[in-house]
Every structure is written in C-alpha cells, then in structure tokens.
Amino acid sequence: PDDALRAFRPAPGFAVELVAAEPLVVDPVAMDWDAEGRLYVVEMRGFMPNLAGEGEELPSGRVVVLEDTDADGVMDRSDVFADGLVLPRAIAVLPEGVLIGAPPDLWLCRDTDGDRACDEKTRLSEYGVGRHDPEHLENGLLAGIDGWLYNAKSKRRFRLEGDALEIEPTAFRGQWGIAQDDEGRLYYNHNSAFVYADAVPGEYATRQPATARAFTTPGVGLHLSEGARVHAIRVAVGLNRAYLAGTLRADGRQDGPTAASGIVIQRGDQYGPEHLGDAFVPEPGGNVLTQFSIERDGFDWRAEHRLYPDPDWDEREFLASSDERFRPVDAKVGPDGAIWIVDMYRGLIQHANYVSEHLGRYAEKHDLVSVGEQGRIWRVVRTDRALERKPPPLSTLDEQLAGLDHANGWVRDRAQRRIVFERDPQAAAALAGGLEGFTPLGRIHALWALDGLGALDAAIWQRALADPDPPVRRAALRAGERMLRVDDSGDLLAPLLRALEDPDRAVRVQVIHSLGEVPAGARPLLPLLAAATQGAELERSAVLSSLAGIERAALAAEVARIGGSAADDPKAWLSELASGVFLAARFGARPETAVADLLDEVGAMPGDDRKHAILEGIVAAQRLPGSGRFELASPHPFFAPEEGESATLAGLRSRLRRTFTWPGDATPGGARALTAEEEVRRSQGEALYAGSCAACHGLDGRGQTGLAPPLVGSPWVRDSDDWLARIALNGLLGPIVVQGESWNLAMPGHRHDARFDDESLAGLMTHLRRSWGHADEPVGPETIARIREETAQRNAPWTAQELLALDIEHRFDGYVGLYRVPIVNLELEVVRRDHQLLFGMKGGGKAELTALGDGLFAVPELSIQFETNTDGEVTATATRDGTTFPLTKAD
C-alpha cells in the first residue's frame, strides 16, 4: 500500500489517504456506510480465479464491516458480515437493514445481536440474473431521494416497505455504477463513455408504449461527455485491445475510455462549493479517477472535462496512478464529505468472456493473472479544508431534522430516510410547520420525507409550489404525485394547471409529466394537447407519456382541433400522437379489435394531410423495437387501394400493409415462410442471442446507449450475409453508422467461441433476420462455413470501411439494373452505393431511394415496389399520382 500511495498524482491541493488494505479487505467492488460511519464492503473474491474464469461459481464472496476504532482515519477492524456469496456486486445500508445484491438473489440482512454479522437473512427478489457475465448484470442499489432504489444495467427500481419489496419498471440505465445529484436526478455511464444523465425522470416514459419503445427519450440518457479522452500517466500496453489502431495514443497511453464505472456526484462539503455537482468517474483501465464539471443551461447539459498539469505528460486526470494494478471500480462521497475509492487492486479485471489473445499473453508475461488477495479503499481529501471523520448523530428527531440541512448530501440522505423509517408521530408536524425554515436543499428533502410518511397534504403542497426556488417547486410536483393519483375531487388540478405557466421550463415540463398521474377520467386533455403543439420535442414526449390511457380521445380531439389540414409542426405532433394511439391499441386489451377499429377510423377520415400524418405515425410505430408484424383476425379493407388516391397515400398504405398479416396471408411482409429445418435453427439462434448478444444489444434489439448500436433495421444485420458473418466472427471496430447515429465502439469477435459454430451462427443470423419486423432471407450453415474459411487468416476486427470495400452479395443487388417504362419508352436506372439505392434516368443524375418497407422505396411523388419470386427474378411496379404501372427489367 505504501508503494501504491507513492504512485498517485492527485490534483493540486488534494491528497490521497489509505483507509483500508489487505488483509482487512480483499477484492472490493462496492461499499456503503451505516449511520455510525462503519464501512460495509462487498468482496468479489471469486472473480477471475484464472485467465479462463474457472471456479467463479464457488461461494467465496462476502461482505465485511470495517471500523476505525481509534478515529485516526484508518480502518483497523474487519468483521465478516455475510459470506457464502457467489460474485456479490451491490450493497445498500439502510435503516431497514443491509441490502446485498448477489446473483441470483437480493438479500435483506440484519444484525439483531450487535456482533457485526448477519443473523437474519430474507430473500426479497431475484437480482442480477441472466447470462454468466459479471460485466453485464444489475448493480448499484442507489437509495434515491424519492425513496426508490435504482440500479445500473437494469430496467427496474425497488421500494422497500418493511420486509416487502415493491418493484416498478424504469428506464434502462448504464453499465456499472449509478449516482444522483441534489435533486435526485440520475447519472450513469458505460465502459466507453464517462457521463450520462437524466434531466427528467425516465420512469415517465414507461407509462405509454410509444415512449417506452422509443430509441431515444428527450431529456433521458443525455450523453454529457462525448469525445472525452483518458489522460493517464503511464503507457497502457496491457489494455484488452491495445493492438488495435486508435486504442492507444502515439505516446502509448490509453486514448478513449474502455472501462468507465462507479460514477459519483460530489454532494459533500469537503471539496468546497466550486466542486459541488461535479461528476467523478473511475476508469480502471487507465488507472485514473476523472473529473467533469456539469454545466446546465435549461435542458442543454454538458460535462466539461477537468484536467490538471503534469510535468511528464502535459495534462492528467484529477487522480492518476503509475501503478498498473490500481483499479478504481467504484467511488462514493463519504460521511466526511470527501470522495472514497474502491480499488480492486488486480492486474487483470477484464472478464474471461472478453479477454483478447493480446491481453492474455500480456497478463501471463507480466504476472497479472494470479489472484493476489489484495484490495484497497482510498480517500481523496482537499488539504486546505477540515475533515470531520465522524458523522453527526441522527438518533433523535431533532438531529434528523437538523441533518436535512447539513452541507453534506450523505448526511441529508440518511436523515431523510431515517425520518421516514422511524415514523415519529411528531415528525410530520415538525416538517410541515418548519418547511420555510429549511434551506432550499433542506426543503427538497423535507418534501420527500413528508411524501414517504404519507403526510404531504394539499396545503403544504401548494405552499411548496409557490417556493421561490425552482428545484423546490420541481420536487413538490414529483412528491405530490401520490396525492394526484387519488384526488377524486379535482381540487388539485387548478394549482397544477397554473404551474403550466411557471417561468422555469423544467418546472413546466415536470407539470406535464405530473399531469399524467391524474386519474384518466379527470385528466385535462386540452391543456396537454396545447402544451404539445406549443412545445418542442421534449414537451411533446412528456405529453404523449401523460396521455397514457386516453390516447384515442386525445387523437379525436386533436384531429377536430386542427381541422382539415395540418401545418408542419402540428403534423409532426399528430404523427407522434398516432404512434402512441396505435401502440396503445396494439399492446392493450383486445388488441385485434382495437387495431381494426383504429384502421376503420383512419380509413373513414377525410383530408389527406391529417390522414398522411396519422399513417406516418402508425408506420413509425410499427418500426419501433418490440412491434414487428401485427396479425389481424381477417383481411382489413383499409389495405385495398382507393381509386384516385395520391402516390403518397398509396405508398403509406403499402408500407403499412407489410407490417400486417392475417390467417391465410400469402405474403406476410413479402417474405417466404421458413422451412421446418430453418425454423429449428432459428429457434436455437434465438436462445444463443438471449444468452450472449442480448447483454449489449438488448433482448429487443434496441441496443444500449454508449454500449452497442441497435440491430433493429440495421443494414449491417439485414443487407449482406458476408457483412454480418464477418462481424460475428472477427468483431467490429467503430466508427459505424446505424440509423443515422455514429457509434465509435469495439465489438469482440466470436470466431473461437465454441457456442458460435457454423450451425449455431447460421441460426443466430436467421433469428436476427426474422425478428423485430425483419422479413429477410435466412442464413444456412454452408454460408458460414464459406465465410469462416475465407477469413481464416484474419485476427483483427473489421472496420466499416473494410466491409464496404468488399465485393459481396447485397440484398438490394437484385434491384440494381435498367428498367423500361411501357409505352413512353423511358429507361430508368437503379444503382447501389454502399447501403443506399439510387434512382434516375439512364446516364443522368440519381436521387436516393428512401426505404419504406420490405422492397418498397420512394423518391418524391413516386414509389417503387420490388418483388422477388422463388427463382430470384425481380419485378417492379411504380406508383405515381394514384396510377400504378409495371417497370420491365432490361438486364
């Protein structure tokens, strides 16, 4: 530890202190404190016993309690609180007990006799279940200011009521580590990106199917640190992909983040006001702790990377080490207001599932594989400010009330939670009567404490809505939602609607979200619709979420309000609303009837502008992940072309038709049915996908921000066997563009993974080709065998440029060629450029064909439908101004 301490270079004015080291703590990965300041540390002792990860299933993990008995700042006592755990990964020390996340279980542990050991253990839920992959399972257990517990790598949040656990869906967040700021807004990251944040609570998006399935939600998952690099103080030859161009700088140091984790927001007082709200992010691959100042201008947020001068490397991070085994995997603000760091202190922290040949050789050569039974806890302190080593007492109600106003967020959080847990009969009156006597931060905590006690009433709520501080008004709106859900009188609506005129935009957006908690029968429809048409994308998304359960009424009201035509902005909103209406019908009760009724309604609707906007919205909804092709009970008359309809309407109708089917439909999506053999293979591929690829790309193929791009609609999935198989076998190195977004990540290959043999990989690719609305050709094992042999000498991952330069078979190639238009003797030409088809006169300029559906493309005022028969022959028909005519292929 002394050697490791000397290897640190902290920011000027800061120093590193050793809190604990082996043998008191070994392989730490997470920590939390009790009210007395004792430190509970999760030890993942079973992680990677060797290069292959053999033996990880043994119950060698545990939780220890560390204590500083002589108050010198260094732990000198360690007791085993819980053991016999398999790769434990998360902990939260609460008044109710100690929550421990140890897959596949979430345990509530209590020490009932004071011997620092768990003697009452209750299983509350499953936790961190899925594939055997410690890098991609639930973790975090952050006790949020709103009384909920939040996790990274998870779509769930928890609320503990005694020994019962309430579970709700929430937005998916991050990979390893999660934090909150003083308002309870959540921050997280992915291994290749330092800081993401939710400017609005992501839970609201889950209320409505369209917002729940959207690829992005405005205000949620903001990437604040885009382009940020790592500024370490040592060469990084031992990175997993150091052999790839772009992984290292010219001077040998790590370039971009590869293992960002354990984010913390500085809410303590030890660093001074200039650092409040800053994000500190461990990057164990680079042996650093990074710092970002969060800048907020309304909903325009960004993170400024704070760097410090270094005599050898020009610039460095807030904390950097030249010790290759310094592995900061988590960080938290402690009871003293300083930042504490969990240092796993290992040579090898990359899991066996992803260890490259390069890293394996490097680790063995430099003796980084063997488990050294080491671990460190560090504290980074500002040297010119005092450090209170013992937390203030929170035993009495008076102490807890005072704690709500403490300068350290750690104290405020625990004071609030203890008030709610102990339920002192005098607490509610003391909080309500003294609300204005707290600081703004104290008032936020007091409101949430009143909510937790069930004591927030209309009078207190309205006082808080008039607070001069916008964050307090926002907290009042969120904390008051329990009242809104049961307000049968409607008395709370008037002050809520007045808040729609608040001068602070974030307050107004919160009002829109909170209106969605009003019972459906009392929810004010017209103010919500006005907020959508007057607002930007953020407001429209909030309104759509808040229309959950009353979507059809909202559509009827909006169509009536805008009349027979729609300007561009209302038309965009009308399409978004139509997406929500359709998906609410599709995923609601009696979906076949509800969807058929909606098609009846749209078909009978006059006015092309409105009909176009609504159909655009339904088509967009059918392209969202989890939608796919919908099966009606019988053919619907909506899909029969109308005489004299415009090319635009005909194109929309045709696009939508390919996303519907019914019993006896001869051409579902234009695709042929799989053979029995192909279906068996696809089913096996589906299981392989769920057990491997889904960890990054998601079970629904939507991808995960900062981690992996979506597979839904991806040309890299759909367009060529050669591209997809090469990516699966050798991996892919970014940048790569999917759905207009650039992803600069690295995907490992699976050539040497026994699970991805020719048969299995063919099944996996077939699964991708027939999932999420895709209706593409399956892949056979003979194709995989050919490509595997052709690329046998290649070890490096592919780049997009290399793949595009290959001479491959593309699913659009059958459409390429010359076409003649009957009677008028015109020759039209279709050519392919990378993923894109171009269309125009032979020898003349070409316009890009926009893909509308399977084989359906369009340019302005013209749509073209390509059909491929069982012999591979392509025919085409074009539609213009309601007239359809054949295109005869000339070659």
Side-chain angles (χ1 to χ4, degrees):
D2 291 340
D3 294 337
L5 192 59
R6 285 189 291 270
F8 285 124
R9 293 185 191 177
F14 289 84
V16 182
E17 298 178 351
L18 178 67
V19 176
E22 66 281 352
L24 293 183
V25 62
V26 173
D27 289 337
V29 295
M31 63 181 174
D32 200 6
W33 297 261
D34 64 16
E36 287 72 39
R38 291 185 291 257
L39 184 64
Y40 288 65
V41 182
V42 177
E43 296 184 335
M44 195 183 280
R45 289 177 172 239
F47 178 78
M48 287 289 287
N50 51 48
L51 198 58
E54 297 166 328
E56 283 188 333
E57 72 284 356
L58 298 178
S60 57
R62 62 187 196 177
V63 173
V64 296
V65 185
L66 305 181
E67 188 173 3
D68 174 13
T69 61
D70 55 8
D72 65 350
V74 180
M75 301 296 178
D76 47 50
R77 175 174 175 173
S78 177
D79 294 281
V80 177
F81 178 76
D83 58 8
L85 306 172
V86 178
L87 299 179
R89 55 199 298 106
I91 190 165
V93 182
L94 308 173
E96 296 90 339
V98 180
L99 285 180
I100 300 173
D105 305 309
L106 178 65
W107 298 102
L108 176 61
C109 295
R110 296 189 178 107
D111 170 17
T112 62
D113 56 11
D115 65 352
R116 293 181 172 84
C118 170
D119 48 52
E120 185 180 289
K121 187 176 177 183
T122 305
R123 186 183 187 275
L124 299 180
S125 169
E126 63 181 22
Y127 192 82
V129 296
R131 61 173 295 188
H132 177 68
D133 190 343
E135 294 188 22
H136 293 288
L137 295 176
E138 271 181 320
N139 64 90
L141 289 177
L142 169 72
I145 196 172
D146 58 1
W148 290 90
L149 290 143
Y150 292 90
N151 296 283
K153 200 67 183 183
S154 176
K155 292 184 177 181
R156 308 187 299 166
R157 66 175 183 172
F158 310 140
R159 184 157 55 196
L160 194 59
E161 298 286 350
D163 288 354
L165 193 71
E166 183 181 356
I167 302 175
E168 272 194 359
T170 185
F172 181 89
R173 298 180 176 98
Q175 184 171 348
W176 185 279
I178 188 167
Q180 67 178 342
D181 63 16
D182 284 337
E183 289 191 52
R185 294 173 296 203
L186 298 178
Y187 298 75
Y188 41 96
N189 53 29
H190 297 278
N191 57 11
S192 56
F194 288 109
V195 186
Y196 285 82
D198 290 350
V200 297
E203 291 70 46
Y204 294 123
T206 65
R207 297 184 297 198
Q208 213 287 328
T211 56
R213 285 170 168 75
F215 285 105
T216 59
T217 302
V220 177
L222 304 177
H223 187 184
L224 306 185
S225 59
E226 194 164 0
R229 305 166 71 195
V230 177
H231 296 257
I233 60 170
R234 63 179 306 279
V235 296
V237 182
L239 281 183
N240 195 34
R241 300 185 183 97
Y243 59 93
L244 297 179
T247 302
L248 302 182
R249 303 170 186 237
D251 60 17
R253 290 184 297 163
Q254 180 178 343
D255 190 19
T258 63
S261 60
I263 186 172
V264 62
I265 302 298
Q266 175 51 284
R267 301 173 58 219
D269 53 342
Q270 209 274 326
Y271 286 13
E274 62 269 38
H275 294 290
L276 281 175
D278 285 2
F280 291 80
V281 186
E283 215 296 352
N287 319 109
V288 297
L289 178 69
T290 64
Q291 178 186 4
F292 293 85
S293 295
I294 310 298
E295 300 177 359
R296 305 177 186 89
D297 181 11
F299 285 100
D300 183 17
W301 292 19
R302 65 183 297 271
E304 179 187 355
H305 196 175
R306 296 285 300 275
L307 299 172
Y308 297 87
D310 187 85
D312 301 314
W313 303 96
D314 188 28
E315 290 181 313
R316 69 169 183 263
E317 303 292 351
F318 174 79
L319 176 66
S321 174
S322 58
D323 183 354
E324 189 169 18
R325 290 170 173 79
F326 172 56
R327 302 297 192 181
V329 295
D330 200 5
K332 282 186 169 61
V333 175
D336 50 19
I339 287 179
W340 294 41
I341 299 172
V342 175
D343 177 9
M344 204 172 185
Y345 205 79
R346 273 176 169 248
L348 188 66
I349 58 166
Q350 183 79 61
H351 190 257
N353 289 349
Y354 306 103
V355 171
S356 66
E357 292 182 17
H358 163 83
L359 178 59
R361 290 193 301 267
Y362 178 89
E364 290 180 329
K365 179 179 179 181
H366 295 278
D367 193 25
L368 300 175
V369 177
S370 59
V371 179
E373 295 192 351
Q374 294 170 308
R376 314 281 160 81
I377 307 293
W378 308 98
R379 175 172 44 231
V380 184
V381 300
R382 181 166 167 172
T383 55
D384 64 347
R385 295 178 65 90
L387 187 75
E388 294 293 335
R389 299 199 183 278
K390 192 165 183 62
L394 296 173
S395 300
T396 69
L397 178 59
D398 286 343
E399 291 169 344
Q400 293 157 14
L401 293 171
L404 296 181
D405 252 346
H406 198 279
N408 184 3
W410 184 93
V411 179
R412 295 196 303 272
D413 291 347
R414 277 151 183 78
Q416 173 192 322
R417 194 152 193 119
R418 187 161 287 277
I419 288 172
V420 174
F421 172 73
E422 294 186 352
R423 299 190 176 275
D424 188 310
Q426 302 178 40
L431 288 166
L435 187 63
E436 284 77 12
F438 289 106
T439 64
L441 284 178
R443 293 200 292 278
I444 290 173
H445 284 279
L447 287 167
W448 282 116
L450 284 165
D451 170 62
L453 291 168
L456 181 60
D457 60 26
I460 304 169
W461 180 67
Q462 292 192 57
R463 280 163 49 196
L465 286 183
D467 195 281
D469 196 67
V472 177
R473 301 200 295 275
R474 295 194 290 265
L477 287 163
R478 289 185 61 202
E481 287 177 354
R482 283 204 222 203
M483 290 190 304
L484 295 177
R485 294 184 196 113
V486 296
D487 178 33
D488 296 328
S489 66
D491 293 342
L492 302 181
L493 271 182
L496 196 58
L497 292 175
R498 284 196 299 270
L500 276 173
E501 305 300 321
D502 194 281
D504 184 86
R505 186 188 179 199
V507 172
R508 298 195 300 271
V509 170
Q510 181 56 54
V511 174
I512 296 171
H513 281 129
S514 294
L515 280 168
E517 297 301 306
V518 174
R523 206 173 307 159
L525 189 56
L526 293 181
L528 283 169
L529 294 175
T533 53
Q534 295 166 11
E537 184 184 22
L538 183 69
E539 284 81 4
R540 295 200 304 269
S541 176
V543 169
L544 185 55
S545 164
S546 289
L547 291 174
I550 57 172
E551 296 93 348
R552 287 291 286 273
L555 181 63
E558 191 68 350
V559 167
R561 191 179 69 83
I562 65 175
S565 64
D568 287 344
D569 287 344
K571 186 175 179 180
W573 159 240
L574 190 57
S575 290
E576 293 169 12
L577 176 57
S579 290
V581 172
F582 174 77
L583 290 177
R586 173 174 183 152
F587 294 104
R590 302 175 63 238
E592 286 184 4
T593 302
V595 170
D597 288 348
L598 179 60
L599 292 176
D600 289 340
E601 183 179 330
V602 176
M605 190 176 292
D608 274 1
D609 277 354
R610 288 177 300 175
K611 189 177 290 189
H612 291 174
I614 291 170
L615 289 177
E616 287 281 7
I618 298 176
V619 168
Q622 284 290 68
R623 288 179 170 272
L624 288 177
S627 297
R629 197 160 286 111
F630 183 79
E631 184 169 353
L632 293 163
S634 60
H636 196 283
F638 175 82
F639 297 110
E642 295 180 1
E643 185 176 352
E645 68 182 4
S646 68
T648 302
L649 186 56
L652 284 168
R653 195 187 302 275
S654 180
R655 287 164 64 188
L656 197 57
R657 164 66 180 92
R658 288 178 168 266
T659 67
F660 281 81
T661 188
W662 45 77
D665 184 3
T667 58
R672 69 169 177 84
L674 297 178
T675 67
E677 183 181 7
E678 289 169 338
E679 175 55 31
V680 168
R681 194 178 292 132
R682 186 212 62 79
S683 177
Q684 294 169 342
E686 181 178 15
L688 177 58
Y689 178 85
S692 55
C693 318
C696 292
H697 293 284
L699 276 172
D700 54 10
R702 295 170 61 177
Q704 299 180 53
T705 303
L707 186 61
L711 302 178
V712 178
S714 171
W716 300 101
V717 171
R718 303 186 63 195
D719 287 0
S720 170
D721 296 349
D722 290 80
W723 284 345
L724 183 55
R726 280 169 167 79
I727 292 171
L729 289 170
N730 283 81
L732 181 69
L733 183 65
I736 188 171
V737 176
V738 181
Q739 296 183 355
E741 183 178 355
S742 180
W743 299 75
N744 196 7
L745 306 170
M747 171 189 154
H750 303 288
R751 177 182 293 274
H752 303 295
D753 189 329
R755 296 174 300 169
F756 290 79
D757 59 23
D758 296 345
E759 186 79 17
S760 300
L761 184 51
L764 172 64
M765 290 173 60
T766 298
H767 168 64
L768 300 182
R769 295 281 180 80
R770 289 297 176 98
S771 296
W772 315 307
H774 300 165
D776 304 309
E777 275 298 293
V779 181
E782 66 282 353
T783 298
I784 305 301
R786 171 184 62 80
I787 298 171
R788 189 187 295 271
E789 183 177 358
E790 290 175 359
T791 59
Q793 301 306 311
R794 185 181 181 96
N795 292 314
W798 295 91
T799 65
Q801 292 80 5
E802 287 177 315
L803 292 171
L804 291 171
L806 294 173
D807 182 15
I808 51 91
E809 291 186 12
H810 191 283
R811 70 184 175 106
F812 292 165
D813 285 346
Y815 309 153
V816 171
L818 287 176
Y819 292 84
R820 292 192 178 93
V821 182
I823 303 175
V824 295
N825 199 30
L826 284 178
E827 282 194 330
L828 304 176
E829 189 175 22
V830 177
V831 298
R832 178 174 67 85
R833 183 177 63 204
D834 298 338
H835 299 299
Q836 185 69 50
L837 287 182
L838 308 178
F839 173 80
M841 298 289 292
K842 179 183 178 182
K846 303 291 189 295
E848 291 187 354
L849 279 171
T850 301
L852 305 179
D854 296 319
L856 180 63
F857 298 82
V859 291
E861 296 304 314
L862 179 72
S863 64
I864 303 175
Q865 178 69 65
F866 296 101
E867 300 284 354
T868 306
N869 65 23
T870 55
D871 296 325
E873 297 172 342
V874 174
T875 58
T877 54
T879 302
R880 180 185 175 93
D881 295 331
T883 301
T884 298
F885 51 90
L887 297 177
T888 304
K889 199 169 187 184
D891 58 346

